[in-house]
Amino acid sequence: MNSTTTLTLSERQKRLVRESFESIGEYSDSVVLLFYGRLFELAPQVRGLFKIEIREQAVKLLDMLKTVVDALDRFEELRPQLAELGRKHAGYNVQPAYYQVLVTALMWAFGQALGLEFTRETRTAWEALLGAISSVMLEGAATLAG
């Protein structure tokens, strides 16, 4: 797969992502449940795409976020896994437009959890990271259509 998506976070942005994710820490289950509530509020049509219980889905999302945060310096190593995840999501009928709704809902949930710690700079770092993840997943999804 020839990809043009790269993760271009500065060292400071990587630190902000790591620190904010660590701050969520013990509240991560609640944050992810807040996220799903907001996601379904913003895009009620996606609710039917989830075939497993939301708490189980929340664990999967947290695991993936942890994997990505732990690999910020090795993003390229995650590319095959993220592309495969994109192919799986395409098989679940996840539409490309849903990726931005997901980012919006996740940023809202992080903002609720982190309050003033979720600065514009931290938000921008997360948006860059999630944008890169989305792009690689969408590239993977496109291989099903192509």
Side-chain angles (χ1 to χ4, degrees):
M1 173 200 275
N2 268 343
S3 173
T4 58
T5 302
T6 57
L7 179 63
T8 55
L9 291 182
S10 68
E11 289 305 312
R12 177 171 171 74
Q13 287 177 310
K14 290 175 187 176
R15 191 184 84 244
L16 290 169
V17 165
R18 288 180 182 115
E19 288 173 355
S20 58
F21 192 69
E22 186 177 316
S23 290
I24 291 170
E26 66 185 89
Y27 306 107
S28 58
D29 291 343
S30 298
V31 172
V32 176
L33 293 175
L34 267 177
F35 154 73
Y36 281 110
R38 183 69 171 161
L39 178 65
F40 300 149
E41 187 179 298
L42 294 173
Q45 68 275 24
V46 305
R47 182 63 183 99
L49 298 176
F50 292 88
K51 304 303 182 201
I52 62 174
E53 202 270 323
I54 286 303
R55 289 190 185 278
E56 185 180 340
Q57 184 64 44
V59 168
K60 289 182 177 199
L61 176 61
L62 277 175
D63 286 348
M64 179 50 68
L65 286 173
K66 182 178 182 341
T67 297
V68 171
V69 170
D70 288 347
L72 283 177
D73 294 318
R74 304 177 320 281
F75 186 77
E76 285 305 308
E77 292 175 18
L78 294 179
R79 184 175 297 281
Q81 183 180 356
L82 293 172
E84 178 59 25
L85 193 58
R87 284 187 286 278
K88 283 183 182 177
H89 281 76
Y92 303 144
N93 292 318
V94 172
Q95 302 301 307
Y98 297 165
Y99 283 79
Q100 185 54 53
V101 177
L102 180 142
V103 170
T104 299
L106 193 57
M107 292 299 88
W108 177 84
F110 282 2
Q112 296 300 303
L114 295 168
L116 294 176
E117 185 182 337
F118 200 56
T119 63
R120 177 174 286 143
E121 190 178 14
T122 301
R123 172 184 284 276
T124 299
W126 271 104
E127 287 173 342
L129 174 58
L130 296 172
I133 292 167
S134 295
S135 291
V136 174
M137 288 179 67
L138 286 165
E139 288 166 7
T143 63
L144 284 183

